[in-house]
Amino acid sequence: MAAPVKSMDKPPAEFSPLNFTSFQKKSRTKSLSIPGTRPSVQNGQLLVSSGVTSLDYLLGGGLAVGTVLLIEEDRYDSFSRMIFKYFLAEGVVCRHELFVAAAQDDPDDILQELPAPILDDVAIHRPGEQPRMSCEPQDTLDAMKIAWRYQNLPKVQSALASSSRFGHYYDVSKTMEPEIRQAAKWHRFYHPEHPPLSSGTHSPKLESYSALLKSLRDVIQREGFDLTAPLPKSRNILRVGLHSLGSALWGDDLCCYNNPKNVHALTSFLYGLRALLRTSLSVAVVTVPSHLIQDRALMGSITRLCDNAIALESFKGSERETNPLYKDYHGLLHVRQVPRLNCLASHLPDHKDLAFKLKRKQFTIERLHLPPDLSETVSRVSKGELAGAATAAAACSSATSSAKHLDF
Amino acid sequence: MLGNAPSFTMLSELLQGTDVGGFLLIQDSCSYSGRHLLKSFIDAALNREEVVHVLGLDVSEEELKEGLKSFVFQRLHFHDAYADPLGWTDNSPFTVHQFSSSRLTELLKQTAPSKPATLVIDSLSWVLRHISPTAVCHTLQQLKKGGAVRTIIGLLHEDMHSRGIVGSVCRLATSVITVEPGTKGEEALAKITKRSKSGKVTQDEQIFSIRKDLTVTVLSKPTNPGHKRSTTEEQVDPTANLTFNLRLTDAEREAKEKLALPFVFSKEKKTALLHSGPGSGKILYEPDASDDYDQEDPDDDLDV
């Protein structure tokens, strides 16, 4: 008996060396059909694309509605900001509503910098695609003279991608057209616009975070995202983006001191945020400047309070920039936590060493693998040795170079 | 990014002050004082006919004005917070508690109502000692966004504060110059990080020295032995000194390429084998109604 393949949007059955199946579970229940979402293959959760297709694959198909994604910022906040903008841009393209909160930049400015979507997705070239009948046999056959039977097998696909068109691609060099942007409905919270009402009240919460949580709750209840209220006819998803929580501009001294006064401010906010999200049709992305937070235990609690957590480490400015192993990439990506939503075991990414690269049309997250070592004079240097050589080179370069020649 | 045109280095670009609405932070430590560089920036701004306000907390007015030319002093306004920063006497010209964006904007508007002025803070470390870092960051951010200030130039002693505080202040800055002592006497090393509006970060390292008249000469880039790429050694050609010939002449190479390999098929046969045609046993399956077996609803009669 063949497995029934019933799909809503006919994805092509591709041969994929990775464990992604094109199986779509047939369900009779009236699930919420909201544009831009799809049910998860593993546990039936409603998923939303994060804007970056590789990140969707890493997180088990997408972000589950009602969860929080924590992004630990890189040193100069360039790539985490990019992922933040991708998330909001995906919301605009899928016609979701947005809620943007920031303390440093005006949310209007953030929205104006959103990348432009590439709407004709056919133009994306992927190396491991199925052979198309219409393409000239000339160039494909001349590519391999002797091993021509292996012509059409996909090359080692190190870029993580999923098969159906769930997320969109964006062109970073262009900003989104004002018409597309203005068609989206959005709400803002700019911290300097909400001055503290009363000072000197000793409470574990911080004024800025309470005001933010109140504002978010008002938006959710007013606009009908609340699941406890009676359902209106058409439902939509609210995408919440909170930029740089915990930084000094929110009034939080988490980043400044080893023993901050407001230790529980951010953690109680995240607790309240998650409770709010679980009872509403929303997804949140929170960025935190974790490289400034000195207390690692606090960082651990912040990670536990969010569902998904990833950390970005950019090579700019560190000694890894000149490491030849990392020359193709812009930084490393660490997956700190993956959620277990209504199930016992979570979907873990198969590879732990991940590196990312921001290309013009794509933010790729790839498995970090050593390139084949073809030259015979160079000894096989492992990752650890390379890193050791880079740091020890300043000390006594002659010693390390002689060690390299010891290959048997 | 190390590729800069030789005549236009990042340090000289910053000295020219084309960056409006930014916050330039000079970080120094006890091994090399950044005040000389700060004075060069003040000098460059004054030469460009800008109005400069200096909040002096670290050193006295005379010491700061030393070396600057006297005819520019009408554009230089010094707010003395060195003598009495905490306001212990009743008539202190400026106290640290007046470091707020409203008070500073008022101060700047008094002297230069039309043109936005350049604000120099010497140094931020003194302010951070007495006012909480969150308030200082808040003030700096508001000054950046408000229109009263053209640029803010601040000096920060990074060894006086914890990493978190230094990091939080650096986050607000559009450019950060970290100065360190150089290898030879008068020279110093500057590590510059510049963050543009689009989020692009450029970094550079330059050796510079400051002359008596406060002009900065940018010298060559530092040659870092630690980061030097391994020089490719001359590959020894193993086919050089042999008794038999391993090389091919052009004619021989042509003949070699023309030779047909034994199991090479013609192009038509290859395409036929690669894109297998309809007769080669492909299984086509169309699921029919009886195949949709739903475990939860075996009789197919539930109306859900």
Side-chain angles (χ1 to χ4, degrees), chain A residues 253-302:
Chain A
D253 57 356
L254 216 61
C255 294
C256 304
Y257 299 120
N258 286 342
N259 301 317
K261 249 186 338 201
N262 309 315
V263 161
H264 299 297
L266 183 58
T267 43
S268 29
F269 169 78
L270 287 174
Y271 192 69
L273 175 71
R274 204 166 66 154
L276 197 58
L277 291 184
R278 286 288 199 266
T279 54
S280 63
L281 281 173
S282 13
V283 189
V285 165
V286 175
T287 67
V288 167
S290 67
H291 55 98
L292 295 175
I293 295 179
Q294 310 299 317
D295 191 353
R296 296 327 294 173
L298 186 59
M299 202 56 229
S301 348
I302 293 174

Side-chain angles (χ1 to χ4, degrees), chain A residues 352-377:
Chain A
K352 298 277 161 52
D353 298 317
L354 298 162
F356 65 84
K357 183 174 175 67
L358 177 63
K359 295 196 275 218
R360 193 166 71 96
K361 294 202 175 169
Q362 208 184 3
F363 185 95
T364 44
I365 302 173
E366 291 177 10
R367 195 172 90 199
L368 191 65
H369 58 263
L370 293 174
D373 197 13
L374 296 170
S375 151
E376 278 173 10
T377 53

